[in-house]
Amino acid sequence: NLQNQPHDPEFRACYEADKGNVIIKVDYNAQEPRISAILSQDAGLLDIFSTGKDLYLAVARAVYKDPSLKFTSKEDPIRRRAKAVTLGTNYGLQPEGLAEREEIELIEATILIDGYLRAFSGLASWMKRTQTEAAKNEFVKTPGGRTVHINPYMRNWANVAINAPIQGGGADILKRAMIRVYEKTGRDKYPIILPVHDEIIAE
């Protein structure tokens, strides 16, 4: 199960390409947040992507209401929290989960999630609208047109209703990407080893 291999560079160094080859990984930058921006047509998210702003810095500035906020590094705790909120919202992240993951107080986690949904109200509206339609129709569709059935009696159906179009849209895109890689390069020249969510690993 290569998808769940640890990120530890020492561990990953155990994998070697054939002599003269290298293993490459290509992925989509912020694929799921981009899909959620397109689906929701949230003005704030669309502006971030259309102007090339740093996604997590822009989110942090909006959530913390501090336009001068800056990160010290990629491991900056505020950046990490902004990223967790941005990605986690697509999976129905709750304050308890965010507090545990980021080792912060529950009140701060609640403020962060509420602040994110207020700052990007178009996304919040789309989420509510999608859940309402899913409860009524008992299905949602991915951007590629695939149907995902929703059982409104399931405990987490509301989270699935939001996540399925976003994550399913990512799957739609990656399937097309694999076809295009194959058409452009051929199976023998650059064989695809594995797709992982928003990335393709090839040799």
Side-chain angles (χ1 to χ4, degrees):
N1 182 5
L2 294 174
Q3 181 170 322
N4 289 339
Q5 297 309 301
H7 283 275
D8 181 354
E10 259 187 72
F11 188 94
R12 294 203 167 191
C14 295
Y15 293 93
E16 293 183 356
D18 286 339
K19 188 174 181 180
N21 292 356
V22 293
I23 295 173
I24 63 169
K25 180 189 82 167
V26 291
D27 67 4
Y28 284 98
N29 177 28
Q31 186 194 52
E32 289 187 3
R34 289 176 190 271
I35 293 170
S36 66
I38 292 167
L39 291 175
S40 67
Q41 287 296 293
D42 180 90
L45 289 174
L46 290 172
D47 175 69
I48 289 169
F49 292 122
S50 65
T51 56
K53 294 175 184 173
D54 180 310
L55 171 61
Y56 303 123
L57 179 58
V59 166
R61 286 175 173 175
V63 170
Y64 286 96
K65 298 180 180 177
D66 182 359
S68 64
L69 190 149
K70 292 182 180 177
F71 297 144
T72 56
S73 71
K74 276 198 168 184
E75 298 307 314
D76 187 302
I78 295 177
R79 182 186 188 278
R80 204 174 56 240
R81 289 164 197 165
K83 183 175 182 178
V85 170
T86 303
L87 299 178
T89 303
N90 297 337
Y91 295 87
L93 180 67
Q94 297 299 311
E96 293 82 2
L98 179 62
E100 183 179 348
R101 182 185 303 177
E102 295 301 318
E103 298 180 343
I104 58 177
E105 294 295 327
L106 181 60
I107 184 66
E108 183 180 355
T110 303
I111 290 169
L112 286 173
I113 292 175
D114 288 349
Y116 179 77
L117 294 175
R118 276 198 303 271
F120 303 101
S121 57
L123 176 62
S125 297
W126 173 80
M127 291 166 67
K128 287 180 181 176
R129 191 167 62 249
T130 301
Q131 288 171 332
T132 300
E133 291 173 359
K136 177 184 174 183
N137 301 326
E138 298 191 5
F139 71 86
V140 292
K141 283 190 175 286
T142 71
R146 289 184 296 123
T147 299
V148 179
H149 293 280
I150 302 293
N151 179 355
Y153 299 102
M154 279 186 354
R155 182 178 57 83
N156 65 336
W157 73 267
N159 294 343
V160 174
I162 295 167
N163 178 247
I166 297 172
Q167 194 173 26
D172 293 338
I173 292 168
L174 199 69
K175 286 176 174 65
R176 292 187 181 192
M178 287 192 290
I179 292 169
R180 292 176 74 174
V181 168
Y182 176 82
E183 289 175 344
K184 291 286 186 182
T185 65
R187 183 189 297 273
D188 297 329
K189 191 173 182 183
Y190 300 111
I192 293 174
I193 298 170
L194 185 72
V196 183
H197 299 304
D198 63 348
E199 69 187 31
I200 293 172
I201 300 170
E203 184 173 340

